[in-house]
Amino acid sequence: MFQVGDKIVHPMHGAGIVESIVQKKVNGVMRDYYVLKLPVRAMVVMIPTDNSEEIGVRPIVEQADQVLAAIPGIEVDMTQNWNRRYRENLERLKSGNLLEVARVVKGLMLRELERGLSTGERKMLHSAKEILISEIVLSQ
């Protein structure tokens, strides 16, 4: 269980700080929620404490320098079928693994240079960059 002030990562929203833990009644059920303040877009996310692990919420990485150093060596193998590529990249983002997020960023940036990106992939690249940068910044 996380405490107020802990730096954690939501796989789809990026890194933030647990601002508080509150009780709320949703659909007739009283639950505890982490209130996560994200520096990116000044967003606030409420995450149920009882299934935060299932969602993929985790502490931030402490070795951001190692992640940055690993990016040039990351192998990128993206399928030509845009629909399949989009689904694979979405799964990588949902994994919450920072190296997988870096793989998405690198792959989509290379693809953008070669062929350009669809609107959906452009939005995904933007989100992946925000997730990657937010965690690296908070870990520093």
Side-chain angles (χ1 to χ4, degrees):
M1 184 154 184
F2 300 108
Q3 304 299 319
V4 173
D6 286 353
K7 296 175 182 176
I8 63 175
V9 179
H10 186 287
M12 295 305 289
H13 298 295
I17 299 171
V18 177
E19 196 171 69
S20 62
I21 301 173
V22 298
Q23 275 195 340
K24 282 215 176 231
K25 193 173 194 174
V26 177
N27 294 333
V29 178
M30 193 64 113
R31 290 175 135 180
D32 289 337
Y33 290 87
Y34 296 119
V35 177
L36 182 63
K37 179 130 171 72
L38 304 172
V40 177
R41 294 178 273 164
M43 186 168 31
V44 176
V45 177
M46 293 183 67
I47 306 163
T49 59
D50 55 350
N51 68 340
S52 62
E53 200 172 298
E54 189 178 302
I55 294 169
V57 175
R58 61 172 175 74
I60 63 168
V61 296
E62 297 297 324
Q63 316 86 351
D65 296 335
Q66 292 175 354
V67 172
L68 287 174
I71 291 175
I74 292 175
E75 291 292 321
V76 178
D77 180 33
M78 294 212 170
T79 228
Q80 294 301 312
N81 180 303
W82 74 268
N83 192 16
R84 184 179 214 177
R85 184 175 59 244
Y86 187 87
R87 282 195 316 262
E88 288 171 356
N89 283 333
L90 190 58
E91 285 304 311
R92 287 184 179 115
L93 290 178
K94 284 182 179 179
S95 76
N97 182 325
L98 196 57
L99 284 174
E100 289 300 312
V101 174
R103 183 183 314 276
V104 171
V105 170
K106 184 175 181 179
L108 289 176
M109 287 179 79
L110 289 172
R111 181 147 185 97
E112 184 175 38
L113 289 173
E114 294 170 4
R115 297 191 176 108
L117 295 175
S118 67
T119 303
E121 284 184 317
R122 204 172 303 115
K123 287 179 182 177
M124 180 179 281
L125 174 58
H126 181 72
S127 293
K129 282 180 180 178
E130 284 183 344
I131 291 167
L132 182 65
I133 291 168
S134 70
E135 186 163 359
I136 290 171
V137 166
L138 272 183
S139 73
Q140 297 292 323

